[in-house]
Amino acid sequence: MGNSFGKVFKISTFGESHGKGLGVIIDGCPAGLPIDEAFIRQELQRRKPGQSKITTQRKEEDECQILSGVFEGKSTGTPIAIVIMNTDQKSKDYSHIADKYRPSHADYTYQEKFGVRDYRGGGRSSARETAARVAAGAVAKLFLKHIGVEINAYVSQAGHIKLDKPYQELDFAEIEKNIVRCPDPEVAQDMIDYIDEIRKNRDTVGGVVSCVAKNVPVGLGEPVFDRLHADLGKSMLSINAVKGFEYGSGFEGVTMLGSEHNDAFYMDGDTVRTKTNHSGGIQGGISNGEDIYFRVAFKPVATIMKDQDSVNQAGDQVTVSGKGRHDPCVVPRAVPIVEAMAALVLADFVLLKRLNKLDV
Amino acid sequence: MGNSFGKVFKISTFGESHGKGLGVIIDGCPAGLPIDEAFIRQELQRRKPGQSKITTQRKEEDECQILSGVFEGKSTGTPIAIVIMNTDQKSKDYSHIADKYRPSHADYTYQEKFGVRDYRGGGRSSARETAARVAAGAVAKLFLKHIGVEINAYVSQAGHIKLDKPYQELDFAEIEKNIVRCPDPEVAQDMIDYIDEIRKNRDTVGGVVSCVAKNVPVGLGEPVFDRLHADLGKSMLSINAVKGFEYGSGFEGVTMLGSEHNDAFYMDGDTVRTKTNHSGGIQGGISNGEDIYFRVAFKPVATIMKDQDSVNQAGDQVTVSGKGRHDPCVVPRAVPIVEAMAALVLADFVLLKRLNKLDV
Amino acid sequence: MGNSFGKVFKISTFGESHGKGLGVIIDGCPAGLPIDEAFIRQELQRRKPGQSKITTQRKEEDECQILSGVFEGKSTGTPIAIVIMNTDQKSKDYSHIADKYRPSHADYTYQEKFGVRDYRGGGRSSARETAARVAAGAVAKLFLKHIGVEINAYVSQAGHIKLDKPYQELDFAEIEKNIVRCPDPEVAQDMIDYIDEIRKNRDTVGGVVSCVAKNVPVGLGEPVFDRLHADLGKSMLSINAVKGFEYGSGFEGVTMLGSEHNDAFYMDGDTVRTKTNHSGGIQGGISNGEDIYFRVAFKPVATIMKDQDSVNQAGDQVTVSGKGRHDPCVVPRAVPIVEAMAALVLADFVLLKRLNKLDV
Amino acid sequence: MGNSFGKVFKISTFGESHGKGLGVIIDGCPAGLPIDEAFIRQELQRRKPGQSKITTQRKEEDECQILSGVFEGKSTGTPIAIVIMNTDQKSKDYSHIADKYRPSHADYTYQEKFGVRDYRGGGRSSARETAARVAAGAVAKLFLKHIGVEINAYVSQAGHIKLDKPYQELDFAEIEKNIVRCPDPEVAQDMIDYIDEIRKNRDTVGGVVSCVAKNVPVGLGEPVFDRLHADLGKSMLSINAVKGFEYGSGFEGVTMLGSEHNDAFYMDGDTVRTKTNHSGGIQGGISNGEDIYFRVAFKPVATIMKDQDSVNQAGDQVTVSGKGRHDPCVVPRAVPIVEAMAALVLADFVLLKRLNKLDV
């Protein structure tokens, strides 16, 4: 249970870190969409390990293969299955933690919940599963591009290094120009230096990914439970290491007065617009045509290269010693994952909106 | 679409602010649960308007009636329908906004999405809908009490007035002793004074509700999408006026190092415990037996008693004049709603956990 | 669980035979549909007990009330809740079977499944629940009428009395002109006489309801599991007392050769048509524009006015004595129920079809 | 949409007849189940083409590969993905029908619904998709075996050749001993001769598959929509070429009197049993512990080796000429598919039953 996401643009993922393969079925992609495989591969490249000195040095090629649902370059309306076979399965690396519970990992909870677990590299709880999301999200992005929606995520905080500018002042074209994916080159360099220092200390640190969706049609989101921001929030909180989500004014908005916070409406030609956007583009759970804006908090990666106290399955006190090749800070690689999940949520609601009125 | 919540302990709500009635169907409550109607009424009392000087002075009796699913005082395993008839329907009050879009309300987005809307008191977008959630949440609480789970929410911030103590130092028995529902009497008084001042200024302000669940069994939450905190987050973000959600270390955790943030395991007799709880009781999306702890940000109520610029359906510039009886700050009445949604999420996962292993 | 039906035009029913009330929430009816309450009442009249000498003489007024989702006569896109309060609750009538298992009723299975049951009139297992379906189906019919779809069900067999004419030769305007709802007046009279005789013998008998949907758009049904006929079949099999479902050539089709059974295509102007319709209007699980045609088998009503051997909850051998006012044959009152469920399935797929292509 | 089945033991299938591969994700198989891969392969062998002279001579090896969800031979509670790569993709064979609508196939309806279709071998509408169901059904069977449930399907009719014996008199061990899968050797030979004759005439014929499930626990099935027989019916009607479903007394039961049809209860030691089983093991939609018994009608295969009139996409009159290697009668190969779907439905309800009562 729990491995599907979406209502009518629906994905189901499978796969463990060190199993034979992982992947996703997309059920509900409309027929006739040109499926650009190169774009899917490119999105996977943005997520893959080993891409820079501030990410894990682990090598995974993440070559995907589309098994179904595409014919002569277009989606057919039938399920699109995308599979990524695991090639770097070094299972032996993990025997030392087979019965140990790594602190702040899912080892203990999986063991208790299921009574059995694939301990190799975290098994299903590994962030490797997000590769499947990125592949599916790429298809969702292709659908959204068709209607003009554009999504950009970026790193706005790494540890204590913050990008304080409002998103309106940023040049999103800068995001992919540096390895930390922060659109401000100077702040980016500070972040890179800081993460590199953390890495050398064999430690890890958290960060924040911000995300902006532009040209979103009015009317996305289904009250009362499936509000646009509620589903965005769930999708983000379902990403490994995420600890918080806020949109528009977020937690800071609580200190504002209603008279400051309310977004006054005005007419921009024939279009209803708001003068401010504390609502983050969402009112009553439904998009209002303004930019969707939200922030996602990631905790420090749990795997550190230091000895830690813990217990094992037998209930003995043990030491867990950090090994392997891990990310000192997860946010640079989280950027495409945040975008993918946002794209999946928006694609879902774009389709659902077709059901709202008597006629289309 | 979008009016149901939960997977196997499932609720579906209905009703507009000024329609004939509102209510909820609970499908999936196990059979044999004693249904304490007085408790359901008591929970509704905690949410109802007019309960103190810092809430709206609107009077709604919120008398609920159970139509089905209970026989001789016990749940029968069939749907439990609870209905609350609307008695204070003063529809005339709303003619002045029939075609106006109130700033930061859902008027514009509902109109665009559906092409029609019940403008009386916000219709379906009114927070009155949460009465149905509180009734359903009361049933979920009864189920959770049966297995020993205890949920307490409280106001931890009202505008800039913060309760800074960690929850472990609070006496939850104090929560219901003051009208703002803050467990620290001194901070509570500051909050009350501040909200009252805001009210007198005909303005509104936001706040934060914190929530703690104790005695939660290990193993709740379904990876990878239906993580416990992802569903908690969605449930909270689906409440009117919520702008953010964080659990455990939350947004503050991003500046911590992995070596500080990781929760070391130790044995407490036969029980696996963690020395710290930055994880907020959830690891890998699954409860680990520690306290579940999260915070929910509420924006200032959009209805203020001041004139505001806006537009109407015809695209004319208009003035919206505040009328009626509204909350200056939503958080005191949000406390039982947060608890209700948390109870619904936990009850759902308690049942789903029965499906995880080969035998039960 | 199990009390909801439909994917995007979704209903959830509640209520027991002798509880306070029963009803339905419709979530997903598009906004802007004129809701003709008189039509809903009229459909309920067609299902209600006491309508003729060949139905139960029990009196239930089945007055429905719309609590939400309709504003100024039109659907608003929010949940439409319809409630029918029970007035004729004669609960005392049922004390004699409180602990007895009536043969071929759900008493034993409910008791075993839930460990508790509302024994009054069958509780949730009573066919009284279908009143909620008929109310919801009336709304679905209103939606289908808007796009020109017409559904007619009729009694084609009562016990051994069969209507042998193909549906194409029948005048559906005759259906409501006789109390058995058979469009052939002569066969109708035979059926009435036969059922009346059965009734006098204090026994019951089964029957078949046939159903035809005309002007159904091409493209309804979602392969591979949610084929149009699979969902129609499930919807019919979910009606009390149904034992079988077949569409198009059905069980008789198994003896045909492929060369006889295949429906040859031809052009009727610009329209693709088939010369025969053994497919019952459905090919590959998707409507092809021809008439949808299916048949539903109902068993004899289990409540008979004769003594029967049985056991009670304690495991003693007992006699169950028929009492009360029951239908000698269920099919006349089943006609509107079959239509209602067909309408719900078709409305669901009409909406889902909007999602199939890249653009609408 | 529509490519998933099941509520908590849930499958999602993908793949076209001549795409790269097909397969299934099983989400919800409890952890700890020994996964016997040889058994899965054996079930696929029972379905695969080319197994005898009365099935298609097409060769497909149907080698399956488990990509995830199994560790050290046991299910882990995470999704089990099973993939079958297509090796015999002879796509060239199908160019002659690229724009033609084969009578009683899904060519026309897919084209209209999606605006695009993979015409090779029927694409997604091909019965090749059922290989994925058989693989998933094998896993469900392993789970059911663990609790003692046994499912046997067999051919009870091929064209006009019927097996008239009640299932109680049959020796299910005979089913796999002949190529038509009929447990009566003499009738089996008649069926084989008849199908072979049909094949030589380049025609096809329909048939009936009967199915019996033994040792089914009391309490499976969720009223009111998800009745056990309603879900069984839907699952069967979702199989290619199925035209009807009946359980217990089925269509024949309609002529019976209530006094004949009711299944009297008696005590067999401590067990409540029924003297007859017209209910087919299901009362009120819930299993009662007696044998589950149902019948499934299959139409003649639409692909015949004869010329047929039809139209093409441009609206021209054309001739469709039969080519290739197809089944003269689908029922022998349908037997494992019927069993697979029955197993999936029962496994789902076995798990759901764990949710019915307050405690487990």
Side-chain angles (χ1 to χ4, degrees), chain A residues 113 203 219 226 231 234 259, chain B residues 113 203 219 226 231 234 259:
Chain A
K113 184 176 184 66
D203 215 329
D226 299 343
D231 272 18
K234 171 163 175 169
S259 53
Chain B
K113 184 178 184 68
D203 216 328
D226 299 344
D231 272 18
K234 170 163 176 170
S259 53

Side-chain angles (χ1 to χ4, degrees), chain D residues 89-163:
Chain D
Q89 295 189 27
K90 297 201 182 166
S91 298
K92 275 176 268 176
D93 287 354
Y94 291 92
S95 57
H96 64 295
I97 52 153
D99 69 342
K100 287 181 185 170
Y101 296 144
R102 291 169 298 159
S104 289
H105 272 277
D107 301 339
Y108 169 61
T109 51
Y110 266 69
Q111 183 66 41
E112 283 297 300
K113 184 178 184 67
F114 296 114
V116 55
R117 76 193 152 96
D118 180 348
Y119 53 78
R120 299 168 303 168
R124 181 69 178 153
S125 74
S126 164
R128 179 142 179 69
E129 180 265 343
T130 56
R133 303 183 184 204
V134 169
V139 176
K141 278 186 173 182
L142 291 172
F143 174 58
L144 292 173
K145 272 181 194 168
H146 176 74
I147 60 165
V149 178
E150 193 189 323
I151 301 171
N152 282 287
Y154 58 92
V155 172
S156 56
Q157 187 170 350
H160 62 279
I161 316 280
K162 281 189 199 183
L163 172 63

Side-chain angles (χ1 to χ4, degrees), chain C residues 108-136:
Chain C
Y108 169 61
T109 51
Y110 266 70
Q111 185 64 43
E112 283 296 300
K113 184 177 185 67
F114 296 114
V116 56
R117 76 194 153 96
D118 181 347
Y119 54 78
R120 300 167 303 168
R124 181 71 178 150
S125 73
S126 164
R128 181 144 178 68
E129 181 265 344
T130 57
R133 302 184 184 203
V134 168

Side-chain angles (χ1 to χ4, degrees), chain B residues 165-186:
Chain B
K165 290 182 192 160
Y167 76 85
Q168 292 88 343
E169 297 174 17
L170 301 172
D171 178 4
F172 293 158
E174 293 291 318
I175 297 171
E176 291 297 315
K177 292 188 181 160
N178 60 68
I179 58 177
V180 78
R181 295 199 167 93
C182 171
D184 182 304
E186 281 179 48

Side-chain angles (χ1 to χ4, degrees), chain D residues 9 11 24-26 40 82 131-141 340 344:
Chain D
F9 193 109
I11 66 166
V24 64
I25 300 176
I26 306 163
I40 299 173
I82 307 179
R133 303 183 184 204
V134 169
V139 176
K141 278 186 173 182
L344 288 163

